[in-house]
Amino acid sequence: MVNDLGKKLARLAFEERGADFLLVMREEHGNVAPAMVSKGEDVGVVRLEVPYQLVTILENIYPWISKGKIAVITRRCDEKALAELAKRKYVDDKRIIKIGLACTEEQIERCRCEDPVPSHVDVGEPHAGVKGDELSARLAKMSQKDRLAFWVDQYKKCNKCFGCTLTCPVCFCDDDCVLEERTFVAEPSIPPGLSFHMVRSYHMIDKCIECGECERACPAEIPLLTMRKLLAKDMKEVFKFAPGDEKTVSPLNTTLEGELMEDECNER
Amino acid sequence: MPKKVVVIGGGIAGIQASLDLADMGYEVHLVEKTPSIGGRMAQLDKTFPTNDCSMCILSPKMIMCAGHENVTLHTYSEVEEVSGQFPHLKVKIKEKARFVNIDKCTGCGDCIAKCPVKVPDEFEQKLSKRKAIYLPFPQAVPRKVTIDGETCRMIKSGKCGVCKKVCQAGAIEFEQKDKLIEIDASAIVVATGFDLMDASALPQYGYGSCKDVVASLQFERILSASGPMGGHLVRPSDGSTPKKLAFIQCVGSRDEKMHKYCSSVCCMYATKESILAREHVPDIETTIFYMDMRAVGKGFQEFVQRAEKNYGVRYVRSRPAKVQPARGDKGVLVTYETRGLAGEQVSEEFDLLVLCPALLPSKGSKPLAKLLGLELDEDDFLKAKDMRHPVDSTRKGILVCGFASGPMDIPDSVAQASGVAARVAELLQGGG
Amino acid sequence: MARIGVFICHCGHNIAATVNVEKVVEFAKTLPDVVIADHNLYSCSEEGLGSIRKSIEKNKLDRIVVAACTPRTHEPLFRKTCEMAGVNKYLFEFVNIREHCSWIHTKEPDPATEKAKKLIAMGVAKAGLLEPQKETESSVIPTAVVIGGGLTGLTAAASLVAQGIDTHLVETSGRLGGILGDIEIIGPEFSRSKELLDQLVSELKGSSHAKIHLDTKVTAVSGFIGNFEVTIESKGKSEKVPAGAIILATGAKEFVPTGEYGYGSIPGVITQLEFERRLAKGDHPKRVAFIQCVGSRQPGREYCSRVCCNASLKNALRIVEAEPSSRVSIIHRDIMSYGTASERLYREASDKGVVFLRYGLERPANVTRKQKGLVVEVYDETIDENIDIDADLVVLATPMVSREDARDVGKLLKVPLDKYGFFLEAHVKLRPVEFATDGVFICGSARWPSSVSECIGQGLAAAAKASIPIRRGKVVVEAITCWADTDKCAACGSCVIACPYEAIEIVEDEDRRYAKVNEAQCKGCGTCVASCPNDAMQQRGFTSRQLSSMIDALIKNAMEET
Amino acid sequence: MAEFNPTILAFCCNWCSYAGADLAGVGRLQMPPNIHVIRVMCSASVKPEYVLKAISGGVDGVLVLGCHIGDCHYMTGNHRTAKRMPLVQKVLKEVGIDERRLRLDWVSASEGEKFQKVVTEFVGEIKNLGPNPMRGVKW
């Protein structure tokens, strides 16, 4: 049986926007899991209260779907993630149909999300974002020494489960991540030490779209999202750049004059 | 058995010609009269219009040249005699005694530290002194010391020999004699470059009589981070930092009585040196006295505009009549005529005056031309064969490139040097 | 497991007077995988090198570390020694304890000694991870393609064929000679351009190595140095030409005034090139005024086009020499007669009565038509007065500008242009006829407006450069190039964007995408290495494991010490 | 306790900064012996990971030196370095490590004095900052 939400999404995707596939979260035998369907009657009982990053699923299955348009439920952060993936040619945005989902107030709270409303809301009630992150504020007041002490304590809890990288929608080398090796990660292996977290921080600095998946996935409850938010702020200050817009290029990909490194020959 | 080519002159043109010929597979013998290759470009601080550091871009080329399997360096050497005809030329090269076994010398410089004799340093344009045993400049290639027999006490009077005592490599050989070697060359390339006209030939400009009048190449050394002033812009008279700087263009060039031609590069290097001066002394005010601002190359006009707009360089079209010391022996008073028929004479004081003298074919080029049987043009540069062959001399199998063939900047010299390599290849292939 | 030998140089007392070499030798013996540590008075001397060679053989060393002076001058020497002893030269590591230690810490022997130890520990750590390298070689197609049949292209092609190299000359128009074809007499020697061009063309036509393609344009270029494929198209028919090197000599064109000084509206106001054609027809007007810098050295087109003053001087002289009573004036902002011959022209012109008037950008001249002919009103800066000049003809000296097809050609060859549409050489000072892309060369007015002799010189230069890979028959690349670990590569494309040499592309395998480096194009800067988030990009001789091991060695030794 | 003697890592590009360091040596320009140079072909090949690894391992300061903008042997390599290093500094700052422990500067092949100046200044600065706090941390 298909619930009303499922019917609505099916109509939006297949009838109104000409999708060939629909990627949703649906309930089966009491579990909610992602599902990819191609017909309205298969949609089933759709559940969107689970704040799961469907784009991460999309990224993983995309290579196996050679053609057809895919409709996917996208929160604001999903949109941004899609933009970052499209930039790197992981997905072809012409093949993606976005079905905008507005986050609930409670979800917005949890993500300390400043920018929660998708460009086009199809499902859910849009709510304004919240300003600032309480922990960031606290850290800002701390002395350098205490700040380091705080993070070292947090990072000591890390047991290197790689949940943060695996659930991250814009962390794309997850099969064989450099952090699993010794090259940049100092002994002892668990906890992995500071370089592990700093290297990941650097890798994320021009990609992270602040979805909060890493933090939710972290069994050690390290406030990973806060670190992302702090660095996102720095990135904005230094280079006026925020990930999530397909048009703006990461400053790491441009020269000082700002034009693309590839110069004119980037019709590749 | 590869054919041999002798390249005379180890400046940028000679280096480039050697590298290209060597890459083509010819056996190159590069003859340089000073102890190191590098030439004039090695003396420059920066290069216009990009202000690239000169040594940064030259030094790798020098090392590449010395290290090239097909290049043999004959530094501190001169061509003595050439006989035969293309493509069978016999070239006699005199390797002057440097009284140092360069196979043993490691360039460590212990000997230099201990040598008691101080003489004016040619590389530093006599702004500082070097020792009788010396390395012309830190990046010299080969990095081997040379004893200058003219001034070394041991050579002259048999008294001293400190260098020999301190040299742990046992490289000092006072008994060394000039060596003559002969090379069967198929072709010869002449790249003997330029010398600056001695500006004291024009007393009205005060060179030699006023302490604070320097020639442009001296100023280049003053600006250089590795120069005699350690990269600090100070004037000779009292070592103070100049606040008002002036350049006079066309000193002895474009001049009926001296040298009629235009030296081609002075407008640009004066502009460059003004910009660099501003970078050394943020509030310095620079004036350039010129006739025509000849900024004809890539990015040159923009360079001049930048100097004017962003570096406060003042361009005055006027040929100053006279220069005299300002106060005592400090600073200079420049007298020039202002624009227009009603233009009157004004005198202006400057802390430091830089003269841009005519750039002449190097002293060696006239005798060399005689020795090689080459014609000169009316300005004493080596004459080109004809329109079709701008890098051929008037004698078959002898090619010319760089400033020796006429005033030109570095890229033009480099292009000509490569062009010469092509001509050698054509000739040795049997082409005309 | 590596067998490392460490050789420490006294450099006389240059090192030994400050660094306690014996102590350092003892320390080096304790480092992992070091089987022998030794010292020489002068490692670079014949005997020093000899003892190193013997030690390599005697101790079966497979990694060599020399601690002495700077690799920038001495590395080749020691590498050669390694090869003589049968060790791949890339298994050699240089540690600089002279310039970077003893010479800059002369007054602190103990700290200097400690530092030398650490530097050597770092070097040994890296050496342990060094791998033998083969310098990549690729073959070279012994054919050149010259694009552009003007003076420069003809010269380049003529030189190549004279060197015995098969050469294709591709010209879009139906005739050879380019702009020079419109000019009868060439300054400063007043020689006939026809003689020059005829000579070049006959040199080409007379050679079995030359193939001339008229009315032909290049439609595609693929490949890299030694192995290009140039697609040319003529009258709808297209042909693929394999080539080892490509020379670009597409030239420039004369700027056509957009109404300046009444051009187009006032009859008798013409451009220099139009005037050349008239002179060629033998018509010598009596009263001519040349106006310089028309459309150049002004906002939007700041540059000086280098050749226009000389052209005016030459033509002015032709007129006064044909008819001494002629009245010729040159209205200019600066006379750009640089060098010897041109300056001579300038002098002759003034001696023969050519009038020179100097105007400024802010007060340009004004041309009007009166019944008795044209009148040029000009404010002369030098004498600070307004002057009226009567003329039958006003010649506008306009700059050379880039051809409209320049950008397309640039895209085909993946080579850059400057803001005016002239091609951008690899280095404005020392690589004037090369592009950053190996195997592609630039010459003549396509790069920058050039005189006849400059065009010939550059054409020859480009020919020399192009001939080098062809003569050698192979392209050898030093083994400091980069490669992608395809298992780790996630094809994010950062490296593709980072590479300054267009050497990296994302390739598609049946099931996956990954980066691939074309080593013939890679210059070994390692920019891609640092841009790779997953350490998939590696540079030979500078792998992340090698450099990280150096950092580890530093940390280990430094932290123990304190 | 003994005077703090920082351990400093420096990356120098082969074409300019390493040559500049050589020139400083040839000129016998004296400077504190805390600096340990790793030669790389271009400053743009310095992986931020190296800096982060060194600092978390207890190295007191890292110096990254390249050609002046415009002089890069590889055209725009140093532009990349100029973009990356400020972000690496932010990563350090946010975890509570003083960003001054990483310094990016330009030294040309003719600037022996500049090399001496930069090294001397940097060592001085690191001495003021004191030992890298990561030295003490036990994981």
Side-chain angles (χ1 to χ4, degrees), chain C residues 108-157:
Chain C
E108 301 166 281
D110 296 345
T113 305
E114 287 313 307
K115 172 175 171 176
K117 287 184 186 173
K118 280 179 264 169
L119 290 174
I120 289 166
M122 291 161 78
V124 168
K126 181 181 178 186
L129 296 170
L130 288 174
E131 283 154 10
Q133 302 291 349
K134 243 177 104 273
E135 288 169 337
T136 48
E137 264 185 34
S138 54
S139 64
V140 176
I141 298 161
T143 306
V145 168
V146 177
I147 307 174
L151 173 62
T152 314
L154 286 169
T155 310

Side-chain angles (χ1 to χ4, degrees), chain A residues 1-30:
Chain A
M1 93 41 136
V2 179
N3 62 348
D4 296 353
L5 181 55
K7 293 199 179 82
K8 178 178 180 187
L9 294 178
R11 199 188 67 249
L12 272 172
F14 297 119
E15 291 161 35
E16 294 179 17
R17 303 190 189 167
D20 303 290
F21 307 95
L22 170 62
L23 183 57
V24 288
M25 299 295 294
R26 76 176 172 199
E27 183 177 336
E28 268 172 290
H29 333 292

Side-chain angles (χ1 to χ4, degrees), chain B residues 19-77:
Chain B
L19 282 171
D20 288 333
L21 286 162
D23 284 344
M24 287 175 162
Y26 297 109
E27 182 182 323
V28 177
H29 291 264
L30 176 54
V31 183
E32 163 59 39
K33 70 172 186 299
T34 72
S36 168
I37 58 172
R40 293 293 173 197
M41 192 176 170
Q43 293 177 286
L44 305 182
D45 177 23
K46 302 273 172 74
T47 58
F48 61 78
T50 51
N51 284 1
D52 267 357
C53 148
S54 191
M55 192 49 82
C56 303
I57 55 180
L58 176 63
S59 156
K61 282 225 181 230
M62 290 161 66
I63 292 169
M64 222 192 301
C65 190
H68 200 295
E69 55 186 3
N70 297 350
V71 178
T72 313
L73 290 187
H74 304 273
T75 51
Y76 211 52
S77 303

